[in-house]
Amino acid sequence: MRAYSNSTTPNPIPATFLRGGTSKGIFINRAHLPANQSDWDRIFLGIMGSPDSEYGRQLNGMGGGVSSLSKICVVGEPSSDQKSQGIQAEYTFVQVGIRDTSIDVSGNCGNLSSMIGVFALDEKICHQPTPNGDRITIRSFNTNTRKIIDTTFPVITTDDGGVTADLNVPEASIAGVPGQASQITLEFANPAGARTGKLFPTGSPLDVVTVPDPAGTPTNVNVSLVDATNPTVFTSHSELSTFLPVDDFLAGKQPALANVGEVLEAIRQRGAEGMGLDPSAQAQPKIVLLSSPKETDLAEGVDIVIHALSMEVLHKAVPMTVGLCLGVASNVQGTLAWEIIQRSRARRETDPGFIRIMHPSGTVDVGAEFSSDGVVKSAMVMRTGRRLMKGVVWW
Protein backbone atom coordinates (compact mmCIF):
# COMPACT_ATOMS: atom_id res chain seq x y z
CA MET A 1 0.00 0.00 0.00
CA ARG A 2 1.24 3.49 -0.82
CA ALA A 3 2.25 5.60 2.16
CA TYR A 4 0.21 8.68 3.06
CA SER A 5 1.53 12.02 1.83
CA ASN A 6 0.18 15.56 1.84
CA SER A 7 -0.84 15.25 -1.82
CA THR A 8 -2.06 11.66 -2.01
CA THR A 9 -4.54 9.71 0.08
CA PRO A 10 -4.01 5.97 -0.26
CA ASN A 11 -6.86 3.80 -1.48
CA PRO A 12 -7.49 1.61 0.47
CA ILE A 13 -6.79 3.29 3.81
CA PRO A 14 -6.29 1.67 7.25
CA ALA A 15 -9.51 1.39 9.24
CA THR A 16 -11.14 -0.46 12.11
CA PHE A 17 -14.77 -1.60 12.26
CA LEU A 18 -16.19 -1.40 15.79
CA ARG A 19 -19.47 -1.82 17.60
CA GLY A 20 -20.18 0.78 20.24
CA GLY A 21 -23.45 0.29 22.10
CA THR A 22 -26.17 -0.30 19.50
CA SER A 23 -24.28 1.31 16.62
CA LYS A 24 -21.45 0.15 14.37
CA GLY A 25 -19.00 2.38 12.57
CA ILE A 26 -15.72 2.81 10.75
CA PHE A 27 -12.92 4.27 12.90
CA ILE A 28 -10.04 6.00 11.12
CA ASN A 29 -6.82 7.47 12.44
CA ARG A 30 -6.80 11.13 11.41
CA ALA A 31 -3.17 10.78 10.31
CA HIS A 32 -4.37 8.65 7.36
CA LEU A 33 -6.70 11.35 6.00
CA PRO A 34 -6.05 14.63 4.16
CA ALA A 35 -5.25 17.54 6.45
CA ASN A 36 -8.04 19.56 4.84
CA GLN A 37 -11.35 18.29 6.24
CA SER A 38 -13.21 19.40 3.11
CA ASP A 39 -11.40 16.61 1.26
CA TRP A 40 -12.93 13.94 3.49
CA ASP A 41 -16.41 13.93 1.93
CA ARG A 42 -15.68 11.84 -1.19
CA ILE A 43 -13.64 9.38 0.87
CA PHE A 44 -16.41 8.85 3.42
CA LEU A 45 -19.13 8.56 0.77
CA GLY A 46 -17.06 5.92 -1.01
CA ILE A 47 -16.41 4.00 2.20
CA MET A 48 -20.10 3.84 3.06
CA GLY A 49 -21.42 3.21 -0.46
CA SER A 50 -23.35 6.46 -0.71
CA PRO A 51 -25.35 7.84 -2.31
CA ASP A 52 -27.67 4.89 -2.91
CA SER A 53 -30.70 6.84 -4.09
CA GLU A 54 -32.33 3.88 -5.81
CA TYR A 55 -32.16 1.13 -3.16
CA GLY A 56 -31.02 2.80 0.07
CA ARG A 57 -29.01 -0.30 1.09
CA GLN A 58 -25.41 0.93 0.63
CA LEU A 59 -24.37 -2.46 -0.74
CA ASN A 60 -21.43 -0.85 -2.51
CA GLY A 61 -19.82 0.07 0.79
CA MET A 62 -19.66 -0.57 4.53
CA GLY A 63 -22.97 1.12 5.33
CA GLY A 64 -26.03 -0.88 6.31
CA GLY A 65 -28.89 1.19 4.94
CA VAL A 66 -29.90 2.68 8.31
CA SER A 67 -28.53 5.69 10.15
CA SER A 68 -27.07 3.63 13.03
CA LEU A 69 -24.85 1.79 10.52
CA SER A 70 -23.74 4.76 8.39
CA LYS A 71 -21.25 6.34 10.77
CA ILE A 72 -17.57 7.20 10.84
CA CYS A 73 -15.31 8.39 13.66
CA VAL A 74 -12.02 10.13 12.92
CA VAL A 75 -9.64 9.99 15.90
CA GLY A 76 -6.33 11.77 16.31
CA GLU A 77 -3.86 13.21 18.78
CA PRO A 78 -5.02 16.24 20.76
CA SER A 79 -3.32 19.62 20.49
CA SER A 80 -0.67 20.69 22.99
CA ASP A 81 -3.21 22.91 24.72
CA GLN A 82 -5.68 20.03 24.97
CA LYS A 83 -2.99 17.74 26.36
CA SER A 84 -2.36 20.28 29.12
CA GLN A 85 -6.05 19.85 30.07
CA GLY A 86 -5.64 16.09 30.38
CA ILE A 87 -7.27 15.32 27.02
CA GLN A 88 -5.77 12.19 25.46
CA ALA A 89 -7.58 11.98 22.11
CA GLU A 90 -9.61 14.21 19.81
CA TYR A 91 -12.34 12.92 17.52
CA THR A 92 -14.89 13.98 14.96
CA PHE A 93 -18.10 12.04 14.42
CA VAL A 94 -19.51 11.88 10.88
CA GLN A 95 -23.06 10.88 9.95
CA VAL A 96 -23.00 9.81 6.30
CA GLY A 97 -26.15 10.15 4.20
CA ILE A 98 -27.62 6.96 2.77
CA ARG A 99 -29.65 8.00 -0.28
CA ASP A 100 -27.90 11.34 -0.72
CA THR A 101 -24.41 12.84 -0.43
CA SER A 102 -24.91 14.55 2.93
CA ILE A 103 -21.97 14.56 5.32
CA ASP A 104 -23.22 15.76 8.70
CA VAL A 105 -20.83 16.75 11.48
CA SER A 106 -23.37 18.82 13.40
CA GLY A 107 -23.76 16.37 16.29
CA ASN A 108 -22.13 13.50 18.15
CA CYS A 109 -22.92 9.78 18.53
CA GLY A 110 -23.07 8.59 22.13
CA ASN A 111 -22.90 4.92 21.21
CA LEU A 112 -19.73 5.18 19.12
CA SER A 113 -18.23 7.63 21.64
CA SER A 114 -17.96 4.67 24.00
CA MET A 115 -15.25 3.16 21.76
CA ILE A 116 -13.08 6.24 21.22
CA GLY A 117 -10.80 5.37 24.14
CA VAL A 118 -10.49 1.76 22.98
CA PHE A 119 -9.51 2.81 19.46
CA ALA A 120 -7.12 5.49 20.75
CA LEU A 121 -5.32 2.85 22.82
CA ASP A 122 -5.17 0.40 19.91
CA GLU A 123 -3.74 3.07 17.61
CA LYS A 124 -1.31 4.30 20.29
CA ILE A 125 -2.80 7.77 20.01
CA CYS A 126 -2.76 7.88 23.83
CA HIS A 127 0.84 8.00 25.03
CA GLN A 128 1.61 5.86 28.10
CA PRO A 129 -1.79 6.07 29.79
CA THR A 130 -1.90 4.93 33.41
CA PRO A 131 -4.59 2.44 34.48
CA ASN A 132 -6.38 2.66 37.82
CA GLY A 133 -6.17 -0.97 38.85
CA ASP A 134 -7.68 -3.10 36.08
CA ARG A 135 -9.53 -0.18 34.47
CA ILE A 136 -8.52 2.93 32.64
CA THR A 137 -10.21 6.23 31.89
CA ILE A 138 -9.48 7.92 28.57
CA ARG A 139 -10.47 11.58 28.24
CA SER A 140 -11.41 12.67 24.71
CA PHE A 141 -12.51 15.90 23.09
CA ASN A 142 -15.38 15.80 20.61
CA THR A 143 -14.97 18.44 17.91
CA ASN A 144 -18.65 18.31 16.88
CA THR A 145 -19.99 19.49 20.23
CA ARG A 146 -16.78 20.96 21.70
CA LYS A 147 -17.28 18.77 24.76
CA ILE A 148 -15.08 16.52 26.90
CA ILE A 149 -16.07 12.87 27.28
CA ASP A 150 -14.55 10.24 29.60
CA THR A 151 -14.72 6.51 28.86
CA THR A 152 -13.74 3.97 31.53
CA PHE A 153 -13.23 0.29 30.68
CA PRO A 154 -11.20 -2.80 31.69
CA VAL A 155 -7.64 -3.24 30.40
CA ILE A 156 -5.01 -5.96 30.35
CA THR A 157 -1.24 -5.68 30.06
CA THR A 158 0.32 -6.48 26.68
CA ASP A 159 3.60 -8.31 26.06
CA ASP A 160 5.44 -5.03 25.45
CA GLY A 161 4.35 -3.61 28.80
CA GLY A 162 1.54 -1.47 27.47
CA VAL A 163 -2.18 -1.82 28.03
CA THR A 164 -5.09 -2.70 25.75
CA ALA A 165 -8.84 -2.78 26.26
CA ASP A 166 -10.32 -6.05 27.48
CA LEU A 167 -13.83 -6.05 26.01
CA ASN A 168 -14.72 -9.65 26.84
CA VAL A 169 -15.41 -9.47 30.58
CA PRO A 170 -18.98 -10.84 31.02
CA GLU A 171 -20.15 -8.11 33.40
CA ALA A 172 -22.73 -6.03 31.52
CA SER A 173 -25.47 -6.29 28.92
CA ILE A 174 -27.42 -3.69 26.98
CA ALA A 175 -30.78 -3.86 25.23
CA GLY A 176 -30.50 -4.65 21.54
CA VAL A 177 -27.20 -6.55 21.80
CA PRO A 178 -27.08 -10.27 22.71
CA GLY A 179 -24.86 -11.59 25.48
CA GLN A 180 -22.61 -9.90 28.01
CA ALA A 181 -19.40 -7.93 27.61
CA SER A 182 -17.17 -5.51 29.48
CA GLN A 183 -18.81 -2.46 30.99
CA ILE A 184 -17.82 0.84 29.40
CA THR A 185 -18.83 3.85 31.46
CA LEU A 186 -19.45 6.91 29.35
CA GLU A 187 -19.47 10.31 31.08
CA PHE A 188 -20.12 13.60 29.31
CA ALA A 189 -18.70 16.56 31.23
CA ASN A 190 -20.72 19.80 31.15
CA PRO A 191 -23.10 18.46 28.48
CA ALA A 192 -25.43 21.47 28.33
CA GLY A 193 -25.34 23.62 25.20
CA ALA A 194 -23.54 21.09 23.02
CA ARG A 195 -24.64 22.90 19.84
CA THR A 196 -26.36 26.08 20.92
CA GLY A 197 -24.45 27.05 24.05
CA LYS A 198 -27.56 26.75 26.24
CA LEU A 199 -29.45 23.90 27.90
CA PHE A 200 -32.68 25.58 26.80
CA PRO A 201 -31.94 27.57 23.61
CA THR A 202 -35.26 29.43 23.85
CA GLY A 203 -34.80 30.11 27.55
CA SER A 204 -37.82 27.99 28.47
CA PRO A 205 -38.28 24.29 29.38
CA LEU A 206 -41.56 24.25 27.46
CA ASP A 207 -42.42 25.87 24.13
CA VAL A 208 -45.22 25.76 21.57
CA VAL A 209 -44.77 25.26 17.82
CA THR A 210 -47.47 25.50 15.19
CA VAL A 211 -47.61 22.95 12.37
CA PRO A 212 -50.31 21.81 9.93
CA ASP A 213 -52.09 18.57 10.78
CA PRO A 214 -52.74 16.01 7.99
CA ALA A 215 -55.80 18.04 6.90
CA GLY A 216 -53.74 21.23 6.72
CA THR A 217 -55.21 22.82 9.85
CA PRO A 218 -52.66 24.83 11.90
CA THR A 219 -52.18 23.01 15.21
CA ASN A 220 -50.26 24.03 18.33
CA VAL A 221 -47.95 21.41 19.81
CA ASN A 222 -46.08 21.54 23.13
CA VAL A 223 -42.37 20.78 22.86
CA SER A 224 -39.31 20.85 25.09
CA LEU A 225 -36.27 22.03 23.14
CA VAL A 226 -33.26 20.73 25.06
CA ASP A 227 -29.56 20.82 24.15
CA ALA A 228 -27.52 18.42 26.28
CA THR A 229 -24.95 16.13 24.57
CA ASN A 230 -27.05 16.72 21.40
CA PRO A 231 -30.04 18.99 20.69
CA THR A 232 -33.38 17.20 20.89
CA VAL A 233 -37.03 18.09 20.28
CA PHE A 234 -39.21 16.32 22.86
CA THR A 235 -42.93 15.82 22.19
CA SER A 236 -45.77 14.15 24.06
CA HIS A 237 -47.17 10.90 22.67
CA SER A 238 -50.52 11.52 24.40
CA GLU A 239 -50.89 15.06 23.04
CA LEU A 240 -50.01 14.07 19.48
CA SER A 241 -52.45 11.17 19.69
CA THR A 242 -55.33 13.64 20.02
CA PHE A 243 -55.02 14.53 16.33
CA LEU A 244 -52.69 11.88 14.86
CA PRO A 245 -52.79 8.05 14.63
CA VAL A 246 -49.51 7.79 16.57
CA ASP A 247 -49.94 4.15 17.59
CA ASP A 248 -50.44 3.13 13.96
CA PHE A 249 -47.29 5.08 13.07
CA LEU A 250 -45.26 3.28 15.72
CA ALA A 251 -46.64 -0.04 14.45
CA GLY A 252 -45.45 0.77 10.92
CA LYS A 253 -48.89 0.99 9.37
CA GLN A 254 -49.85 3.05 6.35
CA PRO A 255 -51.07 5.72 5.78
CA ALA A 256 -49.99 6.70 9.29
CA LEU A 257 -46.30 6.23 8.42
CA ALA A 258 -46.51 8.95 5.80
CA ASN A 259 -49.02 11.27 7.47
CA VAL A 260 -47.60 11.23 10.98
CA GLY A 261 -44.05 11.26 9.66
CA GLU A 262 -44.70 14.50 7.78
CA VAL A 263 -46.11 16.19 10.88
CA LEU A 264 -43.22 15.00 13.07
CA GLU A 265 -40.71 16.32 10.56
CA ALA A 266 -42.53 19.66 10.52
CA ILE A 267 -42.38 19.78 14.33
CA ARG A 268 -38.68 18.90 14.23
CA GLN A 269 -37.97 21.67 11.74
CA ARG A 270 -39.90 24.26 13.76
CA GLY A 271 -37.99 23.08 16.83
CA ALA A 272 -34.70 23.43 14.97
CA GLU A 273 -35.60 27.01 14.05
CA GLY A 274 -36.45 27.73 17.69
CA MET A 275 -33.04 26.40 18.71
CA GLY A 276 -31.29 28.50 16.08
CA LEU A 277 -30.28 25.43 14.07
CA ASP A 278 -30.56 24.60 10.38
CA PRO A 279 -33.98 22.94 9.88
CA SER A 280 -32.81 21.25 6.67
CA ALA A 281 -30.06 19.29 8.48
CA GLN A 282 -31.69 15.90 9.07
CA ALA A 283 -29.28 14.52 11.65
CA GLN A 284 -29.75 17.32 14.21
CA PRO A 285 -31.84 17.96 16.15
CA LYS A 286 -33.47 14.60 16.73
CA ILE A 287 -37.18 14.37 17.53
CA VAL A 288 -38.70 11.96 20.05
CA LEU A 289 -42.08 10.99 21.45
CA LEU A 290 -42.37 10.58 25.22
CA SER A 291 -45.01 8.63 27.12
CA SER A 292 -45.71 7.20 30.58
CA PRO A 293 -44.90 3.53 31.24
CA LYS A 294 -47.58 0.87 31.61
CA GLU A 295 -48.19 -0.56 35.09
CA THR A 296 -46.27 -3.74 34.24
CA ASP A 297 -43.26 -1.71 33.04
CA LEU A 298 -43.53 0.62 36.03
CA ALA A 299 -43.13 -2.39 38.29
CA GLU A 300 -39.82 -3.12 36.51
CA GLY A 301 -38.53 0.33 37.40
CA VAL A 302 -39.28 2.04 34.08
CA ASP A 303 -39.70 5.80 34.49
CA ILE A 304 -40.44 6.93 30.94
CA VAL A 305 -40.96 5.49 27.44
CA ILE A 306 -39.27 6.93 24.36
CA HIS A 307 -39.60 6.52 20.60
CA ALA A 308 -36.90 8.38 18.70
CA LEU A 309 -36.59 9.24 15.03
CA SER A 310 -33.27 9.52 13.27
CA MET A 311 -33.21 11.09 9.81
CA GLU A 312 -37.01 10.62 9.56
CA VAL A 313 -36.81 6.90 10.38
CA LEU A 314 -38.09 5.41 13.64
CA HIS A 315 -35.08 4.21 15.61
CA LYS A 316 -35.06 0.58 16.77
CA ALA A 317 -33.40 1.55 20.06
CA VAL A 318 -32.54 5.03 21.33
CA PRO A 319 -29.64 7.17 20.08
CA MET A 320 -27.45 7.37 23.16
CA THR A 321 -26.98 11.12 23.06
CA VAL A 322 -30.78 11.41 22.96
CA GLY A 323 -31.02 9.13 26.00
CA LEU A 324 -28.47 11.26 27.83
CA CYS A 325 -30.32 14.42 26.85
CA LEU A 326 -33.51 12.87 28.23
CA GLY A 327 -31.69 12.02 31.46
CA VAL A 328 -30.82 15.69 31.88
CA ALA A 329 -34.25 16.99 30.83
CA SER A 330 -35.98 14.61 33.25
CA ASN A 331 -34.32 16.41 36.15
CA VAL A 332 -35.40 19.93 35.18
CA GLN A 333 -38.78 21.14 36.35
CA GLY A 334 -41.20 22.19 33.62
CA THR A 335 -40.02 19.94 30.79
CA LEU A 336 -42.33 17.35 29.24
CA ALA A 337 -39.95 14.67 30.53
CA TRP A 338 -40.02 16.03 34.08
CA GLU A 339 -43.82 15.93 34.13
CA ILE A 340 -43.87 12.26 33.08
CA ILE A 341 -41.12 11.31 35.53
CA GLN A 342 -42.98 12.94 38.41
CA ARG A 343 -46.13 10.94 37.63
CA SER A 344 -44.12 7.70 37.38
CA ARG A 345 -42.31 8.31 40.64
CA ALA A 346 -45.55 9.14 42.41
CA ARG A 347 -47.09 5.86 41.25
CA ARG A 348 -44.05 3.83 42.32
CA GLU A 349 -43.14 5.95 45.37
CA THR A 350 -39.40 5.65 44.76
CA ASP A 351 -36.79 8.11 43.61
CA PRO A 352 -33.67 6.28 42.33
CA GLY A 353 -30.67 8.29 41.18
CA PHE A 354 -30.82 7.07 37.58
CA ILE A 355 -33.65 7.42 35.07
CA ARG A 356 -34.76 4.12 33.49
CA ILE A 357 -35.81 4.65 29.88
CA MET A 358 -37.81 2.08 27.92
CA HIS A 359 -37.25 2.07 24.15
CA PRO A 360 -38.30 -0.37 21.39
CA SER A 361 -35.41 -2.75 22.13
CA GLY A 362 -35.47 -2.71 25.93
CA THR A 363 -34.33 -0.37 28.69
CA VAL A 364 -31.33 1.80 29.50
CA ASP A 365 -30.41 3.66 32.69
CA VAL A 366 -29.03 7.18 32.36
CA GLY A 367 -27.91 9.64 35.00
CA ALA A 368 -27.18 13.32 35.34
CA GLU A 369 -25.33 15.26 38.03
CA PHE A 370 -26.22 18.86 38.83
CA SER A 371 -24.40 21.44 40.92
CA SER A 372 -26.15 23.24 43.78
CA ASP A 373 -27.01 26.15 41.48
CA GLY A 374 -28.69 23.89 38.92
CA VAL A 375 -25.87 23.68 36.36
CA VAL A 376 -25.51 20.29 34.65
CA LYS A 377 -22.11 18.90 35.67
CA SER A 378 -22.25 15.60 33.80
CA ALA A 379 -24.42 12.99 32.11
CA MET A 380 -23.53 9.31 32.18
CA VAL A 381 -24.53 5.93 30.80
CA MET A 382 -23.19 2.39 30.59
CA ARG A 383 -22.41 0.78 27.21
CA THR A 384 -20.60 -2.27 25.83
CA GLY A 385 -18.56 -2.62 22.64
CA ARG A 386 -16.68 -5.07 20.46
CA ARG A 387 -13.86 -5.05 17.94
CA LEU A 388 -15.22 -6.43 14.67
CA MET A 389 -12.47 -5.95 12.08
CA LYS A 390 -9.13 -4.24 11.55
CA GLY A 391 -7.55 -3.81 8.13
CA VAL A 392 -8.09 -1.52 5.17
CA VAL A 393 -11.17 -0.11 3.50
CA TRP A 394 -11.60 0.96 -0.12
CA TRP A 395 -13.26 4.22 -1.02
Side-chain angles (χ1 to χ4, degrees), residues 52-364:
D52 186 356
S53 58
E54 185 174 0
Y55 302 106
R57 298 179 64 190
Q58 295 175 301
L59 290 179
N60 235 8
M62 294 293 294
V66 293
S67 63
S68 60
L69 303 178
S70 191
K71 300 180 175 185
I72 293 174
C73 288
V74 179
V75 188
E77 284 197 37
S79 66
S80 298
D81 181 60
Q82 289 172 337
K83 289 179 181 178
S84 68
Q85 302 173 51
I87 296 170
Q88 297 159 287
E90 180 188 83
Y91 76 100
T92 299
F93 167 69
V94 183
Q95 182 75 60
V96 181
I98 297 170
R99 293 181 178 273
D100 56 29
T101 59
S102 62
I103 297 291
D104 196 323
V105 294
S106 62
N108 189 19
C109 173
N111 277 304
L112 291 189
S113 293
S114 63
M115 293 294 282
I116 296 299
V118 173
F119 180 77
L121 272 185
D122 287 349
E123 291 289 300
K124 302 190 184 305
I125 292 171
C126 302
H127 296 292
Q128 298 179 334
T130 303
N132 181 12
D134 62 352
R135 293 183 182 267
I136 197 169
T137 297
I138 301 296
R139 171 158 288 189
S140 61
F141 180 79
N142 174 245
T143 65
N144 308 75
T145 59
R146 314 297 296 175
K147 296 293 183 180
I148 291 174
I149 301 163
D150 290 340
T151 52
T152 302
F153 48 88
V155 291
I156 53 176
T157 303
T158 58
D159 292 340
D160 60 2
V163 293
T164 187
D166 181 3
L167 301 179
N168 299 315
V169 181
E171 60 184 0
S173 61
I174 61 173
V177 180
Q180 290 190 318
S182 300
Q183 176 174 309
I184 302 173
T185 303
L186 191 62
E187 184 169 3
F188 289 69
N190 303 313
R195 285 289 314 285
T196 66
K198 298 179 180 179
L199 178 61
F200 299 113
T202 65
S204 173
L206 189 66
D207 292 282
V208 177
V209 297
T210 302
V211 297
D213 67 10
T217 304
T219 305
N220 291 333
V221 178
N222 289 303
V223 295
S224 288
L225 307 177
V226 187
D227 182 8
T229 67
N230 260 346
T232 305
V233 178
F234 292 103
T235 67
S236 166
H237 178 292
S238 61
E239 180 186 14
L240 293 177
S241 293
T242 61
F243 67 96
L244 292 171
V246 175
D247 289 336
D248 285 350
F249 171 78
L250 297 179
K253 298 179 181 179
Q254 290 289 9
L257 271 180
N259 294 339
V260 177
E262 288 181 5
V263 176
L264 290 176
E265 177 59 14
I267 295 172
R268 191 196 69 81
Q269 291 188 13
R270 298 295 81 74
E273 292 171 349
M275 301 173 99
L277 301 174
D278 180 3
S280 67
Q282 289 189 328
Q284 303 292 333
K286 298 283 193 294
I287 184 169
V288 303
L289 295 85
L290 300 177
S291 57
S292 297
K294 299 176 181 177
E295 289 295 335
T296 52
D297 297 326
L298 193 70
E300 297 297 322
V302 175
D303 294 298
I304 195 166
V305 180
I306 184 173
H307 289 87
L309 277 76
S310 180
M311 300 174 74
E312 299 188 52
V313 177
L314 193 63
H315 210 286
K316 294 181 180 179
V318 56
M320 210 59 262
T321 49
V322 172
L324 288 162
C325 188
L326 177 55
V328 172
S330 297
N331 284 279
V332 181
Q333 185 173 355
T335 65
L336 292 173
W338 186 85
E339 297 286 350
I340 294 173
I341 293 292
Q342 296 310 301
R343 292 196 296 269
S344 297
R345 297 283 168 86
R347 290 158 64 195
R348 195 171 62 244
E349 297 182 352
T350 59
D351 187 17
F354 276 67
I355 303 297
R356 177 159 293 179
I357 302 169
M358 173 168 279
H359 55 85
S361 295
T363 62
V364 61

